[in-house]
Amino acid sequence: GMQSHLQALLSLYKLFCPEQVTITLPGKMKTYFKNSEGPWKAAITAVRQRNQRTSPLSQAVFLGTSQPQSRKRKWNAQLVISANSANTSHLEEDREKNCFYLYSTNESFPVEQLQTFPQLLKNIHRLEFPSQMGSVLTNPLLLHYMNCVKDESIYLRLYYWMGQMLQEECTWCVVDNPYEEEFKSFLETVYKAECFLQEGFSACEEFLYKTLPLWDGFCCRSEILRLVSWIPLSSFSDIKSYLYDPLAQLFFTSSIYFKCSVLESLKELLQNWLNCNVIQMDLEFSS
């Protein structure tokens, strides 16, 4: 049967290779792998620092005697591409030497070496995406890639990762969560990525539908209303029950400022729907 520890293991597999796990897993389950990569990350950081310069800090990290990193650093690390090379300066020296080799073979192109748009064009069919899908949100070149190459596995990986992050870090759904500013920053990053792609993320849509009935209308107000403006067009019954009804309860009991903010968000939502509809009509007409 479906035991809890097996479900947790399958959910971990689904996060990295969603196409390999076809069964439906429950949305809420006990977390078994909270810090599975912690020792590896500490060891990699120690090696990189030791190769660049010898310092007491690198030795302390390697030996495991230093103070643990703050949660904010751990959060931000999810949005940064970590280089595979332990010596960044060595990579810079050999970049020109290896340029011809990288452009003339069928091997995958490491995403941490992607620096310019011409590189993206020359290697667009052999990019190797990072293990940390959150880094895609802050990288315009990778967002360009998502727009050009509709790779379902990338969207699935981003969907499961983002859904997990939003569920675990939501400040009004998690008891005693003091990291509202970090959560605000993450929601702002997601919104900017949606503006860049000109479409909303399905994980973000599900998060809003689940949490809007519990939202107080105050916590992360501007960020939440911005995300509302990118909800994709769906049936009226769904929009009414999942979006309009929860907002209406807050609308009639809140200040004038909140009412205006909701109206502005819904106006932007309508504009985005119209723009998407026009683009779709143009594509159908051209085909």
Side-chain angles (χ1 to χ4, degrees), residues 1-12:
M2 288 299 293
Q3 302 178 28
S4 58
H5 57 278
L6 293 179
Q7 289 182 349
L9 186 60
L10 286 173
S11 68
L12 187 65

Side-chain angles (χ1 to χ4, degrees), residues 171-189:
T171 52
W172 60 89
C173 293
V174 178
V175 180
D176 297 330
N177 190 339
Y179 301 101
E180 180 178 346
E181 292 302 320
E182 294 182 22
F183 188 59
K184 280 184 179 181
S185 177
F186 178 65
L187 295 180
E188 183 67 21
T189 300

Side-chain angles (χ1 to χ4, degrees), residues 239-255:
I239 291 291
K240 182 180 184 302
S241 58
Y242 293 124
L243 177 63
Y244 293 156
D245 290 348
L247 287 179
Q249 295 179 3
L250 295 170
F251 186 87
F252 293 114
T253 58
S254 300
S255 64

